[in-house]
Amino acid sequence: MLLSKKRLAHIVFESDDRASKAFDLVLLLLIFGSIIVAILDSVAELHLKYGRIFLVLELAFTLLFTLEYVLRVWLTSKTLKYVISFYGIVDLLAILPVYLSFFIANTHLLSVVRALRLLRVIRILKLGRYLAEAEFLRESLKASAAKIQIFLFMVLTIVLIMGTLMFVVEGPEHGFTSIPVGMYWAIVTLTTVGFGDITPVTALGQLMASLIMLMGYAIIAVPTGIVTSEMARRRKSESLEDLKSCTFCGFDRLDRGDRYCRNCGEKRVNSPD
Amino acid sequence: MLLSKKRLAHIVFESDDRASKAFDLVLLLLIFGSIIVAILDSVAELHLKYGRIFLVLELAFTLLFTLEYVLRVWLTSKTLKYVISFYGIVDLLAILPVYLSFFIANTHLLSVVRALRLLRVIRILKLGRYLAEAEFLRESLKASAAKIQIFLFMVLTIVLIMGTLMFVVEGPEHGFTSIPVGMYWAIVTLTTVGFGDITPVTALGQLMASLIMLMGYAIIAVPTGIVTSEMARRRKSESLEDLKSCTFCGFDRLDRGDRYCRNCGEKRVNSPD
Amino acid sequence: MLLSKKRLAHIVFESDDRASKAFDLVLLLLIFGSIIVAILDSVAELHLKYGRIFLVLELAFTLLFTLEYVLRVWLTSKTLKYVISFYGIVDLLAILPVYLSFFIANTHLLSVVRALRLLRVIRILKLGRYLAEAEFLRESLKASAAKIQIFLFMVLTIVLIMGTLMFVVEGPEHGFTSIPVGMYWAIVTLTTVGFGDITPVTALGQLMASLIMLMGYAIIAVPTGIVTSEMARRRKSESLEDLKSCTFCGFDRLDRGDRYCRNCGEKRVNSPD
Amino acid sequence: MLLSKKRLAHIVFESDDRASKAFDLVLLLLIFGSIIVAILDSVAELHLKYGRIFLVLELAFTLLFTLEYVLRVWLTSKTLKYVISFYGIVDLLAILPVYLSFFIANTHLLSVVRALRLLRVIRILKLGRYLAEAEFLRESLKASAAKIQIFLFMVLTIVLIMGTLMFVVEGPEHGFTSIPVGMYWAIVTLTTVGFGDITPVTALGQLMASLIMLMGYAIIAVPTGIVTSEMARRRKSESLEDLKSCTFCGFDRLDRGDRYCRNCGEKRVNSPD
């Protein structure tokens, strides 16, 4: 069957009728499929056993993704904008390496390029669009973003100072080989992850580590406090929905208990008394 | 003494009179006993010393549990429904392996089967029924379930992407032997557990690890925020439910205890006195 | 100067005049001193250098604590009650081992006894009495205690089941030598401590570990939610202090906005209108 | 161009006109620059390659910081107060070591002195002044400081007791070489960092470790609760401050925007219009 370009564009970019919904669904399945193949192929045993099958599947997925990419580039009204957009680049990175890998002899470079194709997992972010419910969380986080940024800035300051001090106190011989490594350790510790790959050995180092740990213990409360109070605020504003409106001036922010409209001063019909 | 089947069923499935309460209690003690025996038997030294006693006890428990299982199957009106229910399967798994282990020669298979019988610890969940107080927590969690699911979905997306990137960056030679392992590491890190069995070695890897740790530090706030604000809401709604309204002026913010409307001064109908 | 037994008892047990306050202070300093000595003495290098001095100091402290103990036993009206009380036993454990150590030849037993004397650090809990401010926290925790208990019960159930499953899946060859060890690992993981002394090696084990970690991540919110909402509630009830009382019936729970007493129905003096 | 001392002082200490703002900016860039150089120089490879360049840059920064320090000392009205102030000492520590390092032969002492100069990272705290937004967080933390202090005191008590008990139970042969080390371990565990450099081996030790972990799990809620409820309170009080009251009926729950009293219907004096 033949489709007008306009119709095609609608199917590809919208999702409001059967055809476009189907297109989205198929795309989702393809993304999932390619990710699962990539995951399985990364397991040595499976790669040895089914490497060939995975390769075929991967090429198939790549062809389909290429088709999608070409379609998008061809159909979109603002081609450039899409190509240089985040998803545009991700979509390209998901297919380009596979083609490049054919023209590369150097085995090391080849492995790098082949690794790059795994970046297609990032396309899973496209699913986000289909989760309306995720809004609440995203907004809560966005609303708190400013505060969280400052918080992270504070954390990084502590990390910088502590990382440097530990580098000075413990030194390379105890694994704190440089300030960046010290900062890495400080983050591992402050976030209470505590891998234990690098640990203070000297008494002074352990004392300072204890301080930073207690600090982390005390300030881990801050982001929680921010997000929680933010969410509580949202809930309240939502609960404002049972507001009444004035039958005269239509002012719509009256509480149940109001006896006179606080906007026009008219006595409210079915007012408490 | 002889019991009608109806009476037996009542004793087994209800818990509203002495006999049925006693049945529940005995069952609880048996479950606890069998679990304790299983735990002790799993300790090598104790197994060597008291292995025989444990075996006897286990057989005794198994017989009793078998009796219970048969009773339930025989007495329940909807046998199939019970048999294929979660607890039905757990109850069966708690006894079946012990019997199977008699007919198995293959030592390896035997050990597997014997291990399976430990699944009877899951029967401890039956105690949940006896904790009315647990309701509050369970409901708070259930009410937040939807949000927590989305949250976990977000987390898993981060885990998938980060796990893949770390696999690409660090590679098998540093313990990131496959994407699933990389995802395992990402979960270990994002949840701030940080075993340290696998840790980034390259500078880039440590940088990315730092990012994921700070991310985890920032988003650990989200589930807390969800549950906390949910609990706060519950408290409030509970304390709001017992607001009364005046039958004269309709003022609707009276406490149960008010004897006169605090707005129009009218004596309340069905007021406390 | 000679003191009546009554006066002495007052000094020892009360803390409302200069003498008794001084007694408390001296006691505090002694407790701190003995703890610091114990800490320093536990450091091998310091023990070698200043072992003798520490020993002398320790004996001095012991004598003084003995004097205090005897005083308390002699002065208190209900001797037995004190002796078998928590602090009574702690006070005794703080001095007894030192005396015992003189009559013990067996070196191993000796070291155990000498170790026991360190239990005197527990006496630091006595300071709690002097922190009125600590009340708020203690009460918040106490008020939430019931919920937290149930929460811990839930956690322990998860720990029991997960510990057993990991013992079954990973087995002794991977460090999960028994169910108790498996439960220890489950606690280490669920609380996000993650020592890494025992870690899953098999794919299935790592998958289950991931589940328990995400679970811990989701339910770590619960205790926080409990305590936070509890604290919020407290604050609010505190803020109820700006309540008005009726000038007729003295009913003291009127809101600022009430125009008639909700208890006796009288129009309020300086009522809003 | 020639500047009056007064003018210079203004440029150095204020930040309200172009010149002084420029001075601040330049200073910020210098601090950042010196920190970045220090960080890069701490990386062995980079030090070998670019050591000379870093040295030159460092000397340049040091000269400029010296100039700044001299300026501040010369210009400030209360010299001594600045010199012995926190930032005064930090500023000095940022330059002194570099000069000292020229007059020191002893290589070990030299390395120590050279390490000290890294303390200049602490100057990053000066940036704090430029973050007005950080106020909210700082105040929330300050307001909760008292409670957090008590909380930390509680934590330290638990740490002292647990550290001692673990030293008694596990002993030096399992890495708990002294009470301070035991306390270090207790902090690592209670804060859920869990490095794993020291872990309990005996059954009793693991049991006690489990207890302390669950304790930490339950009390990690406290600081969060404190800060969160504090933040919530702030929000509310902020949103309450702008409530107005009616000049006729005294009804005191009017919003700023109300034009008529919602209780008596009177037009508000100084109402919006």
Side-chain angles (χ1 to χ4, degrees):
Chain A
M1 108 212 173
L2 201 60
L3 290 169
S4 71
K5 180 176 178 183
K6 191 161 165 314
R7 175 74 182 128
L8 252 180
H10 184 268
I11 293 176
V12 173
F13 294 111
E14 305 306 322
S15 55
D16 52 7
D17 59 4
R18 283 184 70 262
S20 51
K21 282 213 178 68
F23 180 86
D24 283 344
L25 186 62
V26 172
L27 195 60
L28 274 185
L29 296 177
L30 287 177
I31 294 178
F32 262 123
S34 65
I35 290 174
I36 287 160
V37 168
I39 291 179
L40 295 176
D41 191 35
S42 75
V43 182
E45 305 83 60
L46 298 177
H47 178 72
L48 290 176
K49 269 207 203 122
Y50 312 108
R52 295 185 160 295
I53 305 166
F54 291 145
L55 187 57
V56 174
L57 283 171
E58 189 188 321
L59 290 178
F61 284 124
T62 310
L63 284 176
L64 291 167
F65 289 144
T66 313
L67 183 63
E68 181 214 352
Y69 186 74
V70 172
L71 267 178
R72 288 189 187 277
V73 172
W74 174 51
L75 293 171
T76 184
S77 49
K78 31 194 147 31
T79 306
L80 187 67
K81 190 162 167 309
Y82 165 70
V83 172
I84 63 173
S85 71
F86 175 70
Y87 282 125
I89 292 163
V90 170
D91 291 349
L92 190 59
L93 277 174
I95 52 178
L96 209 54
V98 181
Y99 294 115
L100 286 177
S101 58
F102 295 134
F103 310 107
I104 297 175
N106 175 324
T107 50
H108 176 67
L109 184 55
L110 182 60
S111 63
V112 172
V113 170
R114 302 212 78 249
L116 276 178
R117 89 197 186 291
L118 289 176
L119 293 180
R120 71 174 48 162
V121 296
I122 298 174
R123 305 183 94 227
I124 199 175
L125 291 177
K126 285 193 169 180
L127 277 62
R129 273 187 310 159
Y130 303 98
L131 288 173
E133 306 89 341
E135 269 317 301
F136 183 81
L137 285 185
R138 217 178 282 116
E139 280 183 7
S140 295
L141 279 178
K142 203 180 293 160
S144 321
K147 290 216 187 67
I148 287 183
Q149 275 172 26
I150 299 159
F151 173 72
L152 284 181
F153 176 84
M154 282 177 153
V155 168
L156 286 176
T157 311
I158 299 176
V159 163
L160 173 61
I161 294 175
M162 278 301 181
T164 310
L165 292 179
M166 291 304 282
F167 169 69
V168 172
V169 171
E170 291 280 327
E173 61 273 30
H174 297 143
F176 294 81
T177 51
S178 68
I179 291 180
V181 169
M183 291 171 69
Y184 162 72
W185 174 87
I187 292 177
V188 170
T189 305
L190 198 65
T191 54
T192 78
V193 172
F195 282 132
D197 52 348
I198 309 169
T199 52
V201 179
T202 65
L204 181 54
Q206 294 183 333
L207 178 62
M208 281 170 52
S210 305
L211 288 180
I212 190 173
M213 282 181 258
L214 291 175
M215 219 183 297
Y217 200 45
I219 66 177
I220 197 171
V222 175
T224 314
I226 294 170
V227 175
T228 307
S229 56
E230 173 60 28
M231 285 184 170
R233 199 186 58 60
R234 279 176 179 289
R235 274 190 193 288
K236 188 166 295 114
S237 60
E238 279 165 6
S239 70
L240 283 180
E241 274 151 15
D242 58 351
L243 283 175
K244 300 265 163 290
S245 64
C246 173
T247 42
F248 293 85
C249 68
F251 185 79
D252 63 354
R253 292 214 152 291
L254 305 183
D255 290 344
R256 278 247 215 64
D258 297 353
R259 297 158 65 229
Y260 294 84
C261 172
R262 60 177 102 166
N263 185 46
C264 65
E266 275 300 332
K267 195 160 194 340
R268 284 184 54 201
V269 193
N270 55 47
S271 89
D273 47 36
Chain B
M1 106 212 173
L2 201 60
L3 290 169
S4 71
K5 180 176 178 182
K6 192 161 165 315
R7 175 75 183 127
L8 253 179
H10 183 270
I11 293 176
V12 173
F13 294 111
E14 306 305 322
S15 55
D16 52 8
D17 60 3
R18 283 184 70 264
S20 50
K21 282 211 178 70
F23 180 85
D24 284 343
L25 186 62
V26 172
L27 194 61
L28 275 186
L29 295 177
L30 287 178
I31 293 177
F32 262 123
S34 65
I35 290 174
I36 287 161
V37 168
I39 291 179
L40 295 176
D41 192 35
S42 74
V43 181
E45 305 82 60
L46 298 177
H47 179 72
L48 290 175
K49 269 207 202 123
Y50 312 108
R52 296 186 161 293
I53 304 168
F54 292 145
L55 186 59
V56 175
L57 284 170
E58 189 189 322
L59 291 178
F61 284 124
T62 309
L63 285 176
L64 291 166
F65 288 144
T66 313
L67 183 62
E68 182 213 351
Y69 187 73
V70 172
L71 268 178
R72 288 190 187 277
V73 172
W74 174 50
L75 293 171
T76 183
S77 49
K78 31 196 145 31
T79 306
L80 188 67
K81 191 161 167 309
Y82 165 69
V83 173
I84 63 174
S85 71
F86 175 71
Y87 282 125
I89 292 163
V90 170
D91 291 349
L92 190 60
L93 278 174
I95 51 179
L96 209 55
V98 181
Y99 294 115
L100 286 177
S101 58
F102 295 135
F103 309 107
I104 297 175
N106 175 324
T107 50
H108 175 67
L109 183 56
L110 183 60
S111 62
V112 172
V113 170
R114 302 212 79 249
L116 275 179
R117 87 197 189 289
L118 289 176
L119 292 180
R120 69 174 50 163
V121 295
I122 297 174
R123 305 183 93 227
I124 201 174
L125 291 176
K126 284 193 170 180
L127 276 62
R129 273 186 311 158
Y130 304 97
L131 289 173
E133 305 88 340
E135 268 317 301
F136 183 82
L137 286 186
R138 217 177 284 117
E139 279 182 7
S140 294
L141 279 177
K142 204 179 295 159
S144 320
K147 290 217 188 65
I148 288 183
Q149 276 172 25
I150 299 160
F151 172 71
L152 284 181
F153 176 83
M154 282 178 153
V155 169
L156 287 176
T157 311
I158 299 176
V159 164
L160 174 61
I161 295 175
M162 279 301 182
T164 309
L165 292 180
M166 291 304 282
F167 169 70
V168 173
V169 172
E170 291 280 327
E173 61 273 31
H174 296 144
F176 293 81
T177 51
S178 69
I179 292 181
V181 169
M183 291 171 69
Y184 161 73
W185 174 87
I187 292 176
V188 169
T189 305
L190 198 65
T191 55
T192 79
V193 171
F195 282 133
D197 51 350
I198 308 169
T199 53
V201 179
T202 65
L204 181 53
Q206 294 184 334
L207 179 62
M208 281 170 52
S210 305
L211 288 181
I212 190 172
M213 282 182 259
L214 290 175
M215 219 183 295
Y217 200 45
I219 66 178
I220 197 170
V222 175
T224 314
I226 294 169
V227 176
T228 307
S229 56
E230 173 60 29
M231 285 185 170
R233 199 187 57 61
R234 278 176 179 289
R235 276 189 192 288
K236 186 167 297 112
S237 61
E238 278 165 7
S239 64
L240 272 183
E241 268 155 16
D242 43 276
L243 275 181
K244 298 265 162 292
S245 64
C246 173
T247 42
F248 293 85
C249 68
F251 186 80
D252 63 352
R253 295 218 157 291
L254 306 182
D255 290 345
R256 224 201 237 94
D258 298 353
R259 296 160 63 232
Y260 294 84
C261 172
R262 60 177 104 166
N263 184 48
C264 66
E266 275 300 333
K267 193 161 196 337
R268 283 185 55 201
V269 194
N270 54 48
S271 86
D273 49 39
Chain C
M1 111 211 174
L2 201 59
L3 291 168
S4 70
K5 179 175 178 183
K6 192 160 164 316
R7 175 75 182 126
L8 251 180
H10 183 265
I11 293 175
V12 173
F13 294 111
E14 306 304 322
S15 54
D16 52 8
D17 59 5
R18 285 185 67 264
S20 50
K21 282 212 178 70
F23 180 86
D24 284 343
L25 186 62
V26 171
L27 194 61
L28 274 185
L29 295 177
L30 287 177
I31 293 177
F32 262 123
S34 65
I35 290 174
I36 287 161
V37 168
I39 291 178
L40 295 176
D41 192 35
S42 75
V43 182
E45 305 82 62
L46 297 178
H47 179 72
L48 291 175
K49 269 206 201 125
Y50 311 109
R52 295 184 161 293
I53 304 168
F54 292 145
L55 186 59
V56 175
L57 283 170
E58 190 189 323
L59 291 177
F61 284 123
T62 311
L63 284 176
L64 291 167
F65 289 143
T66 314
L67 183 62
E68 181 213 352
Y69 186 73
V70 172
L71 266 177
R72 288 190 187 278
V73 172
W74 174 50
L75 292 171
T76 182
S77 48
K78 32 195 146 33
T79 306
L80 188 67
K81 191 161 166 311
Y82 165 71
V83 172
I84 62 174
S85 72
F86 175 71
Y87 281 125
I89 293 165
V90 169
D91 292 348
L92 189 60
L93 278 174
I95 51 178
L96 209 55
V98 181
Y99 295 114
L100 286 177
S101 59
F102 296 134
F103 309 106
I104 297 175
N106 176 323
T107 50
H108 175 68
L109 183 56
L110 183 59
S111 63
V112 172
V113 170
R114 301 212 80 246
L116 276 179
R117 87 195 188 291
L118 290 176
L119 292 181
R120 72 174 47 164
V121 296
I122 298 175
R123 305 183 93 225
I124 200 174
L125 290 178
K126 285 192 169 182
L127 276 63
R129 273 187 310 158
Y130 304 97
L131 290 173
E133 305 88 341
E135 268 317 301
F136 182 82
L137 285 185
R138 218 179 283 116
E139 279 182 7
S140 295
L141 279 176
K142 203 180 294 160
S144 321
K147 290 216 188 65
I148 287 182
Q149 276 173 25
I150 299 161
F151 172 72
L152 284 181
F153 176 84
M154 282 177 154
V155 169
L156 286 176
T157 311
I158 299 175
V159 163
L160 173 61
I161 294 175
M162 279 301 182
T164 309
L165 293 179
M166 290 304 282
F167 169 70
V168 172
V169 172
E170 291 281 327
E173 60 273 32
H174 296 145
F176 293 81
T177 51
S178 69
I179 292 180
V181 169
M183 292 170 69
Y184 162 73
W185 174 86
I187 292 177
V188 169
T189 305
L190 198 64
T191 55
T192 79
V193 172
F195 282 131
D197 51 351
I198 309 170
T199 53
V201 179
T202 65
L204 180 54
Q206 294 184 332
L207 178 63
M208 282 170 51
S210 304
L211 288 181
I212 190 172
M213 281 183 260
L214 290 175
M215 219 183 297
Y217 200 45
I219 66 178
I220 197 171
V222 175
T224 314
I226 294 171
V227 175
T228 307
S229 57
E230 174 59 28
M231 284 185 170
R233 201 186 57 61
R234 278 177 179 289
R235 274 191 193 289
K236 187 167 295 115
S237 60
E238 279 165 6
S239 70
L240 282 181
E241 272 150 16
D242 60 350
L243 283 175
K244 300 263 164 292
S245 64
C246 172
T247 42
F248 293 84
C249 68
F251 184 79
D252 62 353
R253 291 214 151 290
L254 305 183
D255 291 345
R256 277 247 217 60
D258 297 354
R259 297 159 63 230
Y260 295 84
C261 172
R262 61 178 103 166
N263 184 46
C264 67
E266 277 298 335
K267 195 157 195 341
R268 284 185 54 201
V269 193
N270 53 48
S271 90
D273 47 36
Chain D
M1 109 210 173
L2 201 60
L3 290 169
S4 69
K5 180 176 178 183
K6 191 161 164 314
R7 175 74 182 129
L8 252 180
H10 184 268
I11 293 175
V12 173
F13 294 112
E14 305 306 322
S15 55
D16 52 9
D17 58 6
R18 284 184 68 263
S20 49
K21 282 211 178 70
F23 180 85
D24 283 343
L25 187 62
V26 172
L27 194 61
L28 275 185
L29 296 178
L30 287 177
I31 294 177
F32 263 123
S34 65
I35 289 174
I36 287 160
V37 168
I39 291 178
L40 295 176
D41 191 35
S42 74
V43 182
E45 305 81 63
L46 298 177
H47 178 72
L48 290 176
K49 269 207 202 125
Y50 312 108
R52 296 186 160 293
I53 305 167
F54 292 144
L55 187 58
V56 175
L57 283 171
E58 189 189 323
L59 291 177
F61 284 123
T62 310
L63 284 176
L64 291 167
F65 289 143
T66 314
L67 183 62
E68 181 213 351
Y69 186 73
V70 172
L71 266 178
R72 288 189 187 279
V73 172
W74 173 51
L75 293 171
T76 183
S77 48
K78 31 195 146 31
T79 307
L80 188 67
K81 191 161 165 310
Y82 165 70
V83 173
I84 63 173
S85 72
F86 175 70
Y87 281 124
I89 293 164
V90 169
D91 291 349
L92 190 60
L93 278 173
I95 51 178
L96 209 55
V98 182
Y99 294 114
L100 286 177
S101 58
F102 295 135
F103 310 107
I104 298 176
N106 175 323
T107 50
H108 176 67
L109 184 56
L110 183 59
S111 63
V112 172
V113 171
R114 301 211 80 247
L116 277 178
R117 88 195 187 291
L118 289 175
L119 293 179
R120 71 174 47 161
V121 296
I122 298 175
R123 305 183 93 225
I124 200 173
L125 290 177
K126 285 193 170 182
L127 276 62
R129 272 187 311 159
Y130 304 97
L131 289 172
E133 305 88 340
E135 268 317 300
F136 183 82
L137 286 185
R138 217 179 283 117
E139 279 183 8
S140 295
L141 279 177
K142 203 181 292 160
S144 321
K147 290 215 188 66
I148 287 182
Q149 275 172 25
I150 299 159
F151 173 71
L152 285 181
F153 176 84
M154 283 177 153
V155 168
L156 287 176
T157 312
I158 299 176
V159 163
L160 173 61
I161 294 175
M162 278 302 180
T164 310
L165 293 179
M166 291 304 283
F167 170 70
V168 173
V169 171
E170 291 281 326
E173 61 273 31
H174 297 144
F176 293 81
T177 52
S178 68
I179 291 181
V181 169
M183 291 171 69
Y184 162 73
W185 174 87
I187 292 176
V188 170
T189 306
L190 198 64
T191 55
T192 77
V193 172
F195 282 132
D197 52 350
I198 309 170
T199 52
V201 179
T202 65
L204 180 54
Q206 294 184 333
L207 178 63
M208 281 171 51
S210 304
L211 288 181
I212 190 173
M213 281 182 259
L214 290 175
M215 219 182 297
Y217 200 45
I219 67 178
I220 197 170
V222 175
T224 314
I226 294 170
V227 176
T228 307
S229 57
E230 173 59 29
M231 285 184 170
R233 199 187 58 62
R234 277 176 181 289
R235 276 189 192 288
K236 185 165 299 114
S237 60
E238 279 164 7
S239 64
L240 272 183
E241 269 155 16
D242 45 275
L243 275 181
K244 300 262 164 292
S245 64
C246 173
T247 42
F248 293 85
C249 70
F251 186 80
D252 63 351
R253 294 218 158 291
L254 306 182
D255 291 345
R256 221 201 241 94
D258 298 354
R259 296 160 62 232
Y260 293 84
C261 173
R262 60 177 104 166
N263 185 47
C264 67
E266 276 299 335
K267 194 159 195 337
R268 283 185 56 201
V269 194
N270 52 49
S271 88
D273 48 35

